[in-house]
Amino acid sequence: MRRALALLLFLAASPAMAEESCTDLIDRVQRATGAAVAERSADFARFEAGPQTSLTLSCAGADASSVGAQYRGETPPEAYDTVFVQAGHAITGIAPDRLRDATRQAREGAQAKRHSTIEVDGARVTCAFMRKEQGPLTLCAVIQRPGA
């Protein structure tokens, strides 16, 4: 499952480069969400964010980092949106209500056609839905667009 989210982030964002600011981004996501850091490297972090929910952070510089959330299930609870929006706001600064609306649109589109992307305030919210042998998986990421 981690590989699926990492692949989604990799395909949607520019290549990650280690930066000193990644520590700051990890700290911001942790403070905003209360999620526990489960794995950490120079340019990546994975957080445990609640039942069947995890977050990943890919650091690619001041204006190209991304944060994703995965939920092991078909219909994420409200807490999934909340933690994803908190993490996205911590990384992008985009207003939480704008991120929440974009996330819901992208997730609804993904459930209908497996993948959907919504542009919002200089970032891209992308969601994917897949059925795997281990069960359904819902993935969403907010990716900053460099120079946007």
Side-chain angles (χ1 to χ4, degrees), residues 28-107:
R28 284 197 321 216
V29 169
Q30 190 173 25
R31 278 192 309 272
T33 65
V37 176
E39 182 180 346
R40 175 183 201 137
S41 70
D43 62 354
F44 173 84
R46 184 178 58 81
F47 304 82
E48 292 299 329
Q52 299 180 288
T53 304
S54 62
L55 296 170
T56 55
L57 169 66
S58 175
C59 303
D63 65 348
S65 294
S66 60
V67 66
Q70 67 178 5
Y71 176 74
R72 287 176 235 105
E74 188 167 339
T75 306
E78 183 65 29
Y80 172 88
D81 282 352
T82 300
V83 75
F84 177 64
V85 166
Q86 290 168 334
H89 174 70
I91 297 303
T92 66
I94 296 171
D97 60 328
R98 302 267 301 141
L99 278 174
R100 185 174 302 279
D101 289 344
T103 300
R104 285 188 178 147
Q105 289 175 23
R107 204 175 66 241

Side-chain angles (χ1 to χ4, degrees), residues 88-134:
H89 174 70
I91 297 303
T92 66
I94 296 171
D97 60 328
R98 302 267 301 141
L99 278 174
R100 185 174 302 279
D101 289 344
T103 300
R104 285 188 178 147
Q105 289 175 23
R107 204 175 66 241
E108 287 170 7
Q111 287 179 331
K113 53 187 178 183
R114 295 182 48 118
H115 184 265
S116 180
T117 300
I118 304 292
E119 300 288 327
V120 59
D121 299 345
R124 184 177 302 138
V125 174
T126 185
C127 293
F129 176 76
M130 60 186 77
R131 292 193 189 279
K132 299 179 72 166
E133 193 172 293
Q134 302 90 343

